[in-house]
Amino acid sequence: MSEFAVELRDVVKKFVTPEGNDLAAVNHVTMQIRNGEFFSMLGSSGCGKTTSLRMIAGFEWPTEGEVYIDGEAQGHKPPFLRPVNTVFQSYALFQHMTVFQNVAFGLEMEHTSKGDIKRRVGEALGMVRLTGMDKRYPRQLSGGQQQRVALARSLVKRPSVLLLDEPLGALDLKLRKEMQLELKSLQKEVGITFVYVTHDQGEALTMSDRIAVMSFGRVLQMGSAVEIYERPVNRFVADFIGESNFLDGRVKSVKDKQAVVYVPAWEQELTGFITGTVSTGDEVAVSIRPEKIRLSGESAPNATTIDGTVVNSTYIGSDTHVYLDVHGQRMKVWEQNRVSTLDPSAYYQNGQKVRLSLVPENTLVLPKD
C-alpha cells in the first residue's frame, strides 16, 4: 500500500479561453497527501484548487502530469471507477426521497443486498449523528442536517478518499463553525483521507492537518496550520492567511535565521526572523501580525520600541482593534480584553500616544513578491 492516499505529480491543466489562448488553471502542481490526513487546498477564486480536486475525482483530466490514488496512476479513469467520493457545496439531495433512500442510492446502484444496505446506511447515519431521522425528507431537515446526509451518502460507499468542495459555503456563520468541528471529529473517527477545498482561511486553519496555499495555479506553501500562519514563506501567504502589518525595507545584515532590516519609513532598523530566502542588500517585506505587537508597558529585553498615535479604536468584545499612525505608517494592533470594565479610561482614546514593542520572533522578514 502506498504511503500516500493521493499524489499529484507535476500536474498541469490548461483550458482554452474564449479568445483562443491557453490558460494554465493548474501550473506544475506537485502534492503528496498522506493516508488518513485532513488536507486542505486554500486560495481565492481562480487559484486552481477546485480544478485540482476535479482532477483527483476524475471530472477533469490533466493536460500534463499524473494523478495517483493509493499509488495507482489514474490516467483517464472515469469518476465511478476511482476509490473516491465527492461532497459538493450544493447538497444535491433527491427531494422526493427520504434520508434513508438518499444515503442508500449509491449502494442500490451497485446491487448491494438489502440486508447490507440497511446495516451500512444505519452505520453511516450514526457517524453523522442522524440516527432516527431516516424517514424524513430533505425539506424537513435544517441546512446542517442536509449537509450531514450528503456526507453520509458519500461515506456509506467507504471510499479511500473523500473530496469536499466548499461543502459548508451555503451555511450561516454559526452553523458553519459548528460543522467545521464536527467534520474534523468525523474525519478522525472514520480515518478516511479528507481532501478539502476552501477559500475560507479560518476554516482551513481550524480543521486541517496540512494546508496547501494556492495562487494562479501554483502551490506557494504547504505545511501545518501553525507553519503557514507563523512562518509564511512570502508576502502573499502572510497577507492571505490572517491579518498582517507590512513594512518595506532593505536587508542590512544576515546572521543564521535573523536579519537586520532598515525601514526607510521609520528611519529605523528592525531585527526579524527570516522565513523565506533573502540575502544582504535585498528589498524585503517585513510582516508583523497585529496580535503580536505589545503597546506601552515594559518591553522585552531584545525588543525594538517605537512611538505611535492612536487614530481609531474599535471594541469588538473579546478584543480591541487599535489603529495607529507610526511615523506616517498605518499599523493595526489587536489587544485582548482581559479585564471586564465600563471605565472609558481603560480603553484607548483617539490621539493617545503609545509605545509599540516589537520582538524579533514576531517580526518576519519575507521576500518581496
Side-chain angles (χ1 to χ4, degrees), residues 63 68 92 98-99 105 113 127 131 140 200 228 230 241 287 320 326 330 350:
T63 308
Y68 292 77
T98 64
V99 166
F105 183 77
S113 71
M127 285 179 196
T131 301
Q140 297 170 315
D200 186 320
I228 297 286
E230 300 291 353
I241 304 286
S287 169
T320 296
V326 182
R330 179 62 67 92
N350 292 358

Side-chain angles (χ1 to χ4, degrees), residues 252-290:
K252 297 289 292 289
S253 64
V254 173
K255 184 179 180 183
D256 298 326
K257 288 298 289 181
Q258 288 195 349
V260 176
V261 178
Y262 178 71
V263 178
W266 288 358
E267 298 181 349
Q268 185 164 338
E269 291 181 355
L270 293 177
T271 301
F273 193 91
I274 301 169
T275 61
T277 303
V278 301
S279 303
T280 301
D282 285 357
E283 297 286 340
V284 292
V286 177
S287 169
I288 311 166
R289 300 285 188 191

Side-chain angles (χ1 to χ4, degrees), residues 27-99:
N27 197 354
H28 295 284
V29 164
T30 295
M31 288 184 196
Q32 295 173 322
I33 302 171
R34 303 182 188 111
N35 286 300
E37 184 172 39
F38 198 123
F39 186 92
S40 290
M41 289 185 265
L42 172 67
S44 54
S45 180
C47 73
K49 58 189 187 298
T50 295
T51 302
S52 298
L53 195 82
R54 289 176 62 82
M55 285 190 286
I56 298 170
F59 300 129
E60 303 280 358
W61 296 327
T63 308
E64 300 172 26
E66 185 59 276
V67 174
Y68 292 77
I69 299 176
D70 291 335
E72 184 180 332
Q74 297 302 294
H76 286 186
K77 193 181 290 184
F80 65 88
L81 290 180
R82 300 188 182 205
V84 303
N85 257 340
T86 308
V87 179
F88 300 99
Q89 181 174 334
S90 59
Y91 315 130
L93 300 178
F94 298 113
Q95 297 300 312
H96 64 287
M97 291 184 180
T98 64
V99 166

